[in-house]
Amino acid sequence: MSAQPQKPYRKNVHLTFPPEISGNPLVCNLTRLFDLTFNILKAQITPRKEGYLTLELMGDEANCTKAMEYLREHDVVVTPVAQRISRDEEGCMHCGMCTAICPTSALRMNLENRTVTFELDRCTACGLCTRVCPVAAMHVELENGHY
Ligand code: SF4
Ligand code: SF4
């Protein structure tokens, strides 16, 4: 029996860079030092030069953990995206409006039971769903009042 190919480890993280380190090539080093690849899901820099970056990381799980330690040692605040978003399960009425706007299909209509499923692992905390939900069931932690 042939072995199933291993699913690559993926993790979405949100990084906050204080102004004094915003010019350092820390993110490039994730590839060089830890053999990780990444997609930039969202990037923002404030007028005060504080940087925000949401990344999808791919690679070895142990290396990913080491890479997060490396970033923290260099004063980057690392927050798993899953800690920044939540759904009010009691409040959601499964209308499906958010499924049309969610760019990653983290919110999807289950056609069998007509309920909307929420897959945290796919979420990038972009905040789009919070703008269309008629009952404000989706919550995303804000940065300086902006998504
Ligand atoms: S838009 Fe709001 S109420 Fe409707 S399915 Fe999405 S989270 Fe639930
Ligand atoms: S914040 Fe909402 S719209 Fe954006 S990826 Fe997550 S679930 Fe989808």
Side-chain angles (χ1 to χ4, degrees):
M1 201 168 68
S2 64
Q4 291 284 319
Q6 246 196 335
K7 218 174 150 188
Y9 178 75
R10 286 169 189 269
K11 189 177 176 70
N12 291 347
V13 290
H14 179 76
L15 310 176
T16 303
F17 297 80
E20 54 277 14
I21 59 161
S22 60
N24 290 3
L26 295 171
V27 172
C28 299
N29 285 346
L30 300 183
T31 300
R32 200 171 62 81
L33 302 177
F34 303 100
D35 199 23
L36 299 175
T37 53
F38 58 85
N39 288 325
I40 296 177
L41 302 172
K42 194 173 141 196
Q44 186 191 353
I45 189 148
T46 68
R48 291 172 54 211
K49 304 271 185 244
E50 191 170 47
Y52 302 111
L53 204 53
T54 306
L55 294 181
E56 178 188 36
L57 291 168
M58 290 152 284
D60 178 78
E61 185 172 357
N63 281 354
C64 192
T65 304
K66 283 184 206 155
M68 295 305 101
E69 283 165 13
Y70 165 81
L71 291 175
R72 287 189 177 105
E73 280 163 12
H74 288 81
D75 299 327
V76 179
V77 179
V78 181
T79 319
V81 162
Q83 279 178 21
R84 293 166 43 82
I85 178 126
S86 59
R87 179 169 71 171
D88 174 359
E89 297 299 338
E90 306 256 305
C92 174
M93 54 188 190
H94 300 273
C95 66
M97 283 184 71
C98 56
T99 63
I101 202 164
C102 178
T104 63
S105 300
L107 289 158
R108 269 183 297 182
M109 180 62 80
N110 179 334
L111 293 175
E112 279 178 22
N113 57 14
R114 305 296 304 173
T115 60
V116 172
T117 57
F118 176 38
E119 244 183 286
L120 253 180
D121 285 352
R122 300 175 78 104
C123 174
T124 60
C126 69
L128 289 175
C129 53
T130 64
R131 300 182 198 177
V132 297
C133 179
V135 293
M138 298 301 296
H139 304 283
V140 182
E141 188 191 311
L142 300 177
E143 289 142 359
N144 297 337
H146 300 285
Y147 294 115

